[in-house]
Amino acid sequence: MGELEKIMREGAALHEAGRYDEALSLYDEAVGRWPTLALLWNNRGNTLLELGFIDQAVKSYQQALQLAPSLHDSRVALSTCLQMQGEVQQALVECAKVLKASPNHAEAHWNYALLLLLQGNYTAGFREYEWRWKKRRFTSPVREFSQPRWSGGDLSAKTILIYAEQGFGDTLQFCRYLPLLVERGAEVLFECHPPLVPLMQSLGAGITVLPFGRDLTDFDYQLPLLSLPYLLGSTLETIPAVVPYLTTPAARLPFWQSVLPGDNVSKRIGLCWSGKRYPDPGRSLPAALLAQLASCTGTLWVSLQVGEPVEKPALPMVDLTMLVQDFADTAALLEQLDLVITIDTAVAHLAGALGKPTWLLVPFAPDWRWGLSGEQCCWYPNMRLFRQSEPGEWDPVVAAVVKALHDSPAAG
């Protein structure tokens, strides 16, 4: 094995292990020695992207493409960086270049889909979104069934299996489409994550909810959940956006009514300030910034931060999340609140689906479902968006939330 090949393998191994600083140091030295090797610049760009050094990653990908214009993965990654910089139109151009040269490049189709959806072009965006199953390392496994995939035809007196995919938030957002299938005459089997099952049972008649892993009864058609907007022809104007479309199981309410203090406060507000770093490292804010909220007197702050331990804000806060067993419990807890303030996590989608007044903190490079601008959300009419105006700058966003709380004591 030659020295260069050894360095390439070592760099890839360090990157895969999450040891990005070490990988970058190795690549920095290597590009100094082999400056005309496009793949080195590409791999260096990948590591810079993981570290969040977006401007430097752009330059590294551009150098790779100058040396090897047909390095399509570099151009797709460049489009990701451009989107994170707010250069959405140029990101679309880069994806289009790849697709012109390589029409079946699944990663380019995926990025193209997300960019179109971000712009609000749902007709083309959801069509492109169907390429997700051919993307490398897609977050959900491809499912194989003997029954055919539904292609939009008549469902009268038919049974269709819809299975959840990707994360909890995606399921909470897109389960709203299932009653539309019932309206078409279908019996719906809905397979989803076990912690969601009790809550999803509120979707209504004609929908049978099953946890993943359960033996499936006979059905005529099958389809992944996030393909429904495409097959049902969703646009910005036709999203089924009536809330609530999920209801907290009544049996869960008495317990949460009894354990949550705060009878002598003017309002109860839930907080969630951190999400999973992957795939979006922007879905967290420094907990210390939330200390600004202490100026809002008469408020009971309630933690909604479920899951892995995170840094807690210097703010008097009730934390009962250790009592949460599933999303029906979280829903019952939300029902006790006047307002939910959250970053882009499943809590946002749950509060939105329940019709709870929700303020969402949106990073500079937003997820496609929040659009590019404005305070209103096409998916949840009960949601108000507070956006970053500069990458990584959460202080002004929290300050805007504090001002809004002072200006609107009712907090809704």
Side-chain angles (χ1 to χ4, degrees):
M1 182 188 304
E3 184 180 8
L4 177 57
E5 183 181 357
K6 182 179 179 181
I7 287 173
M8 294 289 284
R9 290 189 178 186
E10 183 180 352
L14 289 169
H15 182 98
E16 288 297 318
R19 295 162 61 180
Y20 302 122
D21 288 329
E22 295 173 67
L24 180 60
S25 178
L26 189 69
Y27 287 138
D28 281 345
E29 179 182 356
V31 295
R33 297 175 63 187
W34 295 280
T36 60
L37 186 60
L39 194 57
L40 266 178
W41 289 100
N42 173 80
N43 292 3
R44 179 175 178 270
N46 292 342
T47 299
L48 287 164
L49 179 56
E50 288 292 343
L51 286 167
F53 300 148
I54 307 304
D55 292 348
Q56 295 180 48
V58 166
K59 293 177 182 178
S60 202
Y61 289 130
Q62 289 174 334
Q63 182 63 31
L65 290 165
Q66 184 175 339
L67 294 166
S70 62
L71 197 56
H72 298 319
D73 283 355
S74 284
R75 199 171 297 281
V76 172
L78 174 61
S79 77
T80 297
C81 294
L82 291 169
Q83 186 266 323
M84 296 175 75
Q85 292 178 322
E87 301 291 340
V88 175
Q89 196 58 46
Q90 187 56 42
L92 278 166
V93 169
E94 297 299 333
C95 284
K97 289 179 183 177
V98 176
L99 293 174
K100 182 178 180 180
S102 180
N104 293 320
H105 196 290
E107 279 67 27
H109 279 287
W110 169 256
N111 273 25
Y112 201 53
L114 299 181
L115 290 162
L116 290 168
L117 292 168
L118 181 61
Q119 288 187 321
N121 185 349
Y122 281 8
T123 300
F126 281 124
R127 181 180 64 245
E128 288 290 303
Y129 200 74
E130 292 299 293
W131 279 86
R132 65 194 183 279
W133 300 106
K134 296 184 179 181
K135 179 179 180 288
R136 296 189 294 270
R137 298 185 180 182
F138 185 57
T139 56
S140 295
V142 175
R143 304 282 297 276
E144 299 292 343
F145 299 95
S146 58
Q147 293 88 342
R149 194 178 192 273
W150 183 56
S151 58
D154 182 28
L155 285 173
S156 300
K158 300 295 185 181
T159 299
I160 182 170
L161 169 69
I162 303 295
Y163 54 92
E165 54 171 293
Q166 302 181 59
F168 293 128
D170 298 285
T171 304
L172 289 163
Q173 179 182 359
F174 288 94
C175 68
R176 70 181 73 205
Y177 284 92
L178 299 180
L180 300 185
L181 300 179
V182 176
E183 291 176 7
R184 291 179 171 226
E187 285 287 330
V188 177
L189 299 177
F190 182 42
E191 190 186 30
C192 67
H193 319 73
L196 288 172
V197 169
L199 184 64
M200 292 294 158
Q201 289 171 339
S202 70
L203 282 167
I207 301 171
T208 300
V209 183
L210 302 169
F212 286 133
R214 181 72 58 85
D215 289 339
L216 299 172
T217 58
D218 291 337
F219 53 93
D220 301 293
Y221 299 104
Q222 49 82 20
L223 192 75
L225 177 62
L226 271 68
S227 290
L228 283 174
Y230 169 59
L231 288 175
L232 294 174
S234 271
T235 67
L236 280 174
E237 295 73 30
T238 62
I239 291 168
V242 176
V243 296
Y245 56 85
L246 291 175
T247 305
T248 304
R252 302 293 184 99
L253 293 172
F255 173 77
W256 289 98
Q257 290 166 345
S258 69
V259 298
L260 191 65
D263 291 338
N264 298 319
V265 298
S266 60
K267 52 186 174 289
R268 296 170 170 177
I269 302 179
L271 285 177
C272 182
W273 59 94
S274 182
K276 293 180 180 178
R277 185 181 185 279
Y278 184 84
D280 184 358
R283 291 193 299 187
S284 292
L285 63 87
L289 294 180
L290 297 178
Q292 300 176 52
L293 297 172
S295 65
C296 302
T297 57
T299 300
L300 177 71
W301 298 103
V302 180
S303 175
L304 301 175
Q305 196 65 52
V306 179
E308 297 180 3
V310 297
E311 182 185 1
K312 295 184 178 180
L315 186 71
M317 185 180 300
V318 173
D319 187 354
L320 300 174
T321 55
M322 75 291 295
L323 302 175
V324 171
Q325 299 298 312
D326 57 25
F327 276 86
D329 277 333
T330 305
L333 173 56
L334 295 185
E335 294 288 5
Q336 314 310 312
L337 306 177
D338 300 296
L339 174 67
V340 172
I341 300 175
T342 179
I343 206 155
D344 183 6
T345 66
V347 167
H349 295 286
L350 177 57
L354 294 170
K356 180 62 59 177
T358 305
W359 291 1
L360 182 71
L361 313 183
V362 182
F364 177 78
D367 185 86
W368 66 264
R369 65 204 82 205
W370 312 125
L372 287 168
S373 62
E375 291 188 354
Q376 302 305 307
C377 175
C378 62
W379 292 93
Y380 304 107
N382 52 307
M383 186 174 286
R384 179 179 176 184
L385 308 181
F386 291 77
R387 299 178 181 272
Q388 275 186 348
S389 57
E390 297 292 337
E393 294 295 326
W394 285 114
D395 201 342
V397 179
V398 177
V401 168
V402 172
K403 182 179 185 304
L405 287 170
H406 285 297
D407 291 346
S408 306

